[in-house]
Amino acid sequence: MTKIEEVEQAKSCIQHIIHKTPIIHSRSLQEKWGRRVFFKAEHLQKTGSFKIRGAANAVTNAVSAGATLVTAASSGNHGQAVAYVASELGIASVIVVPTDASAAKVAAIKAYGGQVEYCGTTSAERISHAKSLAHQQGGVYIPPYDHDDIIAGQGTAGLEIIEQMPETDIIVVPVGGGGLISGILTAVKAKRPDVLVIGAEPALANDTAVSLKRGEITAIGPTETIADGLRTSQPGDLTFPVVSGLLDGLVLVEEHEIIEAMHDIAVRTKQVVEPSGAVAAAAVMAGKAGAPGRTIVAVISGGNVGLARFAELMSTMETG
């Protein structure tokens, strides 16, 4: 399992690449939701999501070991992060995305210097292809979540939260493959074991919930959740033991709750958040995570959503 020392080392390694993102809040939103909720604003991170934390750590270490090419499998945010860091460090990158990847995210990957290849709709399909490309071209595959360097890099967000808001009682984190939440768990439970860490997962992409219930890693089929960054087939071999051993709870959120949270955040804080980035906030909004009187930090994990797609989702609020 990833150790706190690795998270602290990652913090030192990546601090010149990433932003220390702010924690934001809205009093009117807190009143509407009936919760003292704050947001760790990773949508304001470089490349628009938390993914650059793990990518910066993993790619930096790969380059230190002599890599001149990296590959990644990603629905968008991880790919953008790997492409950006690779470009910053002067090496090539190939990013494998699903056939239904967000056009905005694909455009961003290309803008950051990454070569894009399409493959399938599940994480298993694109991971296999990205690994094959790395092997064929003598590169290094950078996993989206199931790697010590990735977990340690993502854990730096947890270190920042407890430094920025030492009064935090509960941290709510979106769950996909488990890289972000396992990193935050590693950091927070080592530094502040009294702080509760709650996972939030789309009900339509509930591989972690199913796996926890069965007590073993369990794969699910393709999902159509709007939270495209959380469309993983199963938890990681490295992340699942951390989650199953340290997590204080996991809740599921519905699609309409994700959209409503996006809407409320946009109206009350003037921030545009992608569906995956709103999942933790949706759990708080719906009363599924946190409690009145407690200080809650919900991680907004990303903001990479096209304006047309954002408007389309917001229109469902108006008509529904």
Side-chain angles (χ1 to χ4, degrees), residues 138-259:
V140 175
Y141 169 66
I142 305 296
Y145 51 86
D146 208 29
H147 190 283
D148 282 335
D149 287 347
I150 297 293
I151 295 169
Q154 317 305 28
T156 60
L159 291 180
E160 288 182 15
I161 290 170
I162 58 178
E163 289 168 0
Q164 291 170 303
M165 287 200 66
E167 68 271 34
T168 299
D169 295 312
I170 301 167
I171 301 174
V172 187
V173 187
V175 179
L180 178 60
I181 196 161
S182 59
I184 288 178
L185 281 165
T186 299
V188 172
K189 292 303 182 180
K191 296 289 188 178
R192 287 284 306 279
D194 58 303
V195 174
L196 299 180
V197 179
I198 307 296
E201 189 174 42
L204 292 185
N206 64 340
D207 52 293
T208 296
V210 171
S211 298
L212 288 172
K213 184 176 181 179
R214 296 186 179 179
E216 61 182 5
I217 294 173
T218 304
I220 62 171
T223 172
E224 295 302 319
T225 177
I226 59 172
D228 60 330
L230 305 181
R231 290 177 187 169
T232 46
S233 302
Q234 64 185 57
D237 292 335
L238 298 180
T239 62
F240 185 67
V242 180
V243 171
S244 60
L246 298 178
L247 191 65
D248 293 301
L250 179 72
V251 300
L252 299 177
V253 297
E254 304 296 336
E255 301 292 285
H256 71 90
E257 292 169 337
I258 298 170
I259 295 171

Side-chain angles (χ1 to χ4, degrees), residues 20-67:
K20 183 176 183 179
T21 54
I23 290 181
I24 62 176
H25 78 286
S26 160
R27 182 174 297 176
S28 66
L29 185 61
Q30 290 180 344
E31 291 173 355
K32 180 178 182 183
W33 289 3
R35 299 287 188 274
R36 190 168 187 265
V37 60
F38 298 79
F39 303 111
K40 177 61 171 167
E42 287 294 286
H43 64 299
L44 301 179
Q45 184 58 265
K46 286 184 180 177
T47 71
S49 87
F50 76 94
K51 289 286 190 177
I52 197 170
R53 295 177 181 271
N57 195 38
V59 175
T60 297
N61 289 340
V63 170
S64 296

Side-chain angles (χ1 to χ4, degrees), residues 65-178:
T68 58
L69 166 74
V70 290
T71 70
S74 168
S75 64
N77 286 343
H78 175 61
Q80 289 180 55
V82 170
Y84 175 88
V85 177
S87 179
E88 287 291 295
L89 298 180
I91 67 170
S93 64
V94 181
I95 313 301
V96 181
V97 304
T99 53
D100 58 352
S102 156
K105 292 180 180 180
V106 170
I109 290 170
K110 292 178 179 178
Y112 291 134
Q115 176 186 332
V116 173
E117 289 205 12
Y118 292 88
C119 182
T121 58
T122 69
S123 57
E125 290 172 298
R126 55 186 181 268
I127 287 171
S128 176
H129 187 52
K131 285 181 176 178
S132 177
L133 287 173
H135 178 72
Q136 292 168 13
Q137 300 180 34
V140 175
Y141 169 66
I142 305 296
Y145 51 86
D146 208 29
H147 190 283
D148 282 335
D149 287 347
I150 297 293
I151 295 169
Q154 317 305 28
T156 60
L159 291 180
E160 288 182 15
I161 290 170
I162 58 178
E163 289 168 0
Q164 291 170 303
M165 287 200 66
E167 68 271 34
T168 299
D169 295 312
I170 301 167
I171 301 174
V172 187
V173 187
V175 179

